[in-house]
Amino acid sequence: MGKVETWPGRGSFVLAAIGSAIGLGNVWRFPFIAYKYGGGAFILVYLVSLFIIGIPILILEFALGYHFKSSAPGALRRISSRWEWLGWFALLAGFGVVSYYVVVMGWAANYFVYSANLAWGENTESFFFNKVLNLSDSIFSIGSIRLNILLGLIVCWVWILLSIWKGPLTVGRVVYVTVTVPWLILIVFVIRGVTLPGAMEGLKYYLTPNFAQLRNPELWHAAFSQIFFTLTIGFGVMIAYAAFLPPKSDIVNNALLIALADALTAFIAGIAVFATLGYHAYMVGKPVSEVAKGGPSLAFVVYPMIINSLPGARLCGLLFFAMLLTLAVDSAFSLVEAISAGVTERFGWRRWKVNVGIMIVGILVGLIYTTSAGLYWLDVVDHFVTHLGLFSVALLQCIAAGYFYSLRTLRVSINEYSDIKLGKSWEYIIKYLVPPVSIFLLVCSLRKDIISPYGGYPRLATFLGGWLPIFLFVIISIVLARIAQKRDAGGFTP
Ligand code: TRP
């Protein structure tokens, strides 16, 4: 058993959980997903998803960690030894995300340096694709490793490790800065964005709801996945963080606060991005829906455009990319924390060794994204890990807690010290709403992904970057759960 650690003071748990939730998911992923799925059409579904599944599942994860005082594998094992694998699977899915997440941080680190002389110039799109990524024309033309990105990747990993060197105690302090400063900068961007010519067209595209789209399962699937991604649900992170909570903590209040702060940040980042897209559309004389590619490159094309138009552009650029990095670092280290909490708890290894191990594997896996085809691989892995991996974890967690444990027990345990009491409807949502809805969405999109490979990539690519890793994660989690349980059996007699 690892030693039980607790948060220094209440504020630090909330801040650390907000820190984990708010990250590139809000400022980088949310705008491109919203753009890809048609702006206003997406926002509506996104908001509905936040309330009907995001917040209830976030509460469930907090409840699991808090009630069992355990990281994800440990907490799920307490439900039944047959569920422990799911905890490991969650951590592995999280690792899948972090493997490319830190690469995006590496891009941001490069842009931080470029800000010093606004190296991206006027054509920010061509700069990103040609100069920064040296993007090849197909997913199998890997080309060579881009050294600048590799360097960024390594620097970011080292930074992540240093931030958590001493455990949750240091985390508590780091996040005071990483959570508050970024908001100020985003607000400056919004003000500049909406005062650009053409901005209103962009905002119209972002905010006009399209009710017909509510019937599109693909949109719901993308919205659910984005909610999981952005709230850090389905990675075992929130379970681990809640396990460090002192007794008598107010879970419901915290969950609401975290979810709303997160959604608000994404929404504000969206305003900045879409206003700028409107401006760009106005300049090139095309409709907003056609001016950009709705993929992982969007942020790195659009934010530099806003920066170019600001007074004191260089300073703004430096501040913005510093902000992006500080937002991202606490999300990334929350996952490293969650993995090392799981491994130390179940295998008794030393925390620092686990952390260094994660970093090394992270850098090695990350190499593929630093090549000229890196953006394509990132796109594929992101799609599968979020749409299939996270999604399944969130779904199965609800089934495990709802059908193999007592949601009532969890609810009573949280309600004891919460100002806002959870009603029985929470149990219904977890037990009867989430599973059928998610299974339906999952089946719809699996069918689609099987019929025609995601994004028009060759089948072999979606197999290597998508199906295969998910399959391996399942096998590895089952093996890890087995080994941990053997160790329990041999280690001590109850
Ligand atoms: N929630 C984070 C964000 O919005 C992203 C995130 C979720 C994440 N889970 C993660 C990052 C696991 C790294 C590892 O940016």
Side-chain angles (χ1 to χ4, degrees):
M1 278 281 175
K3 68 177 187 308
V4 178
E5 298 175 274
T6 39
W7 294 105
R10 278 188 189 195
S12 48
F13 163 75
V14 177
L15 278 173
I18 291 186
S20 167
I22 301 180
L24 298 174
N26 308 62
V27 185
W28 161 74
R29 196 171 190 278
F30 173 81
F32 84 71
I33 296 287
Y35 183 72
K36 186 164 163 182
Y37 290 95
F42 181 80
I43 301 295
L44 185 66
V45 176
Y46 179 80
L47 285 179
V48 177
S49 313
L50 176 70
F51 286 96
I52 63 166
I53 57 141
I55 295 176
I57 300 184
L58 183 61
I59 294 178
L60 175 69
E61 290 209 350
F62 283 157
L64 288 171
Y66 177 71
H67 183 73
F68 293 122
K69 289 269 163 289
S70 240
S71 62
L76 282 152
R77 188 198 60 133
R78 299 275 296 278
I79 290 181
S80 149
S81 56
R82 261 182 270 148
W83 281 109
E84 178 171 349
W85 75 274
L86 183 61
W88 293 109
F89 183 70
L91 297 179
L92 286 168
F95 180 78
V97 170
V98 93
S99 75
Y100 62 81
Y101 199 86
V102 186
V103 175
V104 180
M105 288 177 68
W107 298 346
N110 274 283
Y111 270 76
F112 177 76
V113 178
Y114 296 142
S115 301
N117 58 354
L118 301 180
W120 49 74
E122 283 307 309
N123 191 342
T124 57
E125 183 166 346
S126 123
F127 181 79
F128 183 62
F129 290 122
N130 301 329
K131 291 273 165 41
V132 182
L133 299 182
N134 189 22
L135 191 66
S136 66
D137 49 14
S138 84
I139 191 163
F140 287 116
S141 322
I142 288 186
S144 57
I145 288 177
R146 304 288 294 160
L147 287 179
N148 50 339
I149 301 179
L150 179 62
L151 191 65
L153 177 71
I154 294 175
V155 168
C156 290
W157 266 112
V158 171
W159 183 29
I160 291 167
L161 239 60
L162 291 180
S163 317
I164 49 169
W165 200 246
K166 295 216 180 95
L169 284 171
T170 34
V171 174
R173 271 179 228 123
V174 175
V175 287
Y176 274 104
V177 186
T178 59
V179 168
T180 45
V181 180
W183 276 2
L184 300 177
I185 303 175
L186 265 186
I187 293 192
V188 173
F189 271 48
V190 167
I191 296 175
R192 176 69 253 209
V194 298
T195 48
L196 288 168
M200 285 309 137
E201 274 313 301
L203 292 181
K204 224 193 257 165
Y205 184 75
Y206 180 43
L207 298 175
T208 315
N210 180 343
F211 292 96
Q213 282 288 349
L214 285 177
R215 272 179 304 187
N216 176 356
E218 201 186 329
L219 201 62
W220 283 97
H221 195 184
F224 276 26
S225 304
Q226 172 60 17
I227 293 279
F228 297 154
F229 187 99
T230 192
L231 292 181
T232 323
I233 290 174
F235 297 98
V237 170
M238 293 307 188
I239 301 185
Y241 270 15
F244 304 144
L245 274 173
K248 304 192 188 171
S249 296
D250 183 336
I251 303 269
V252 183
N253 244 345
N254 287 342
L256 284 175
L257 184 72
I258 293 159
L260 295 179
D262 184 81
L264 193 67
T265 312
F267 186 73
I268 292 181
I271 296 184
V273 167
F274 281 85
T276 312
L277 280 171
Y279 162 68
H280 183 45
Y282 169 85
M283 298 303 270
V284 296
K286 280 196 205 161
V288 175
S289 59
E290 285 170 25
V291 280
K293 298 195 178 75
S297 55
L298 187 69
F300 290 86
V301 173
V302 173
Y303 288 117
M305 273 183 212
I306 317 186
I307 294 169
N308 280 345
S309 71
L310 282 163
R314 285 158 210 236
L315 183 64
C316 291
L318 285 172
L319 281 176
F320 175 75
F321 287 104
M323 160 198 106
L324 208 57
L325 287 166
T326 52
L327 273 185
V329 75
D330 43 11
S331 303
F333 71 53
S334 70
L335 180 85
V336 181
E337 282 278 344
I339 299 182
S340 51
V343 177
T344 45
E345 186 185 318
R346 299 295 289 137
F347 291 100
W349 294 1
R350 299 285 289 274
R351 225 179 64 95
W352 74 267
K353 286 191 188 155
V354 181
N355 288 351
V356 172
I358 299 171
M359 172 175 90
I360 293 172
V361 183
I363 293 176
L364 290 179
V365 175
L367 287 180
I368 182 71
Y369 313 110
T370 65
T371 64
S372 292
L375 185 72
Y376 303 127
W377 288 105
L378 192 154
D379 190 25
V380 172
V381 175
D382 175 68
H383 175 80
F384 280 87
V385 175
T386 56
H387 283 66
L388 193 57
L390 287 194
F391 205 81
S392 315
V393 176
L395 160 69
L396 291 171
Q397 241 169 219
C398 291
I399 295 182
Y403 294 87
F404 294 82
Y405 193 73
S406 146
L407 285 175
R408 207 184 130 70
T409 311
L410 292 178
R411 187 162 67 94
V412 169
S413 144
I414 341 179
N415 272 349
E416 203 175 339
Y417 296 101
S418 290
D419 283 340
I420 308 171
K421 304 286 181 219
L422 270 191
K424 223 170 154 26
S425 50
W426 177 73
E427 294 181 29
Y428 293 135
I429 293 179
I430 299 290
K431 201 164 170 180
Y432 303 115
L433 180 75
V434 179
V437 174
S438 331
I439 291 173
F440 171 74
L441 295 178
L442 205 55
V443 171
C444 287
S445 53
L446 283 186
R447 221 186 58 181
K448 188 163 168 268
D449 278 344
I450 291 170
I451 297 172
S452 62
Y454 168 73
Y457 294 109
R459 218 168 262 283
L460 181 62
T462 56
F463 173 75
L464 291 175
W467 302 105
L468 184 65
I470 300 280
F471 176 72
L472 289 177
F473 287 171
V474 173
I475 305 285
I476 298 174
S477 348
I478 294 174
V479 172
L480 285 175
R482 276 269 168 84
I483 301 177
Q485 285 165 15
K486 278 239 172 77
R487 198 174 163 270
D488 285 346
F492 54 86
T493 31

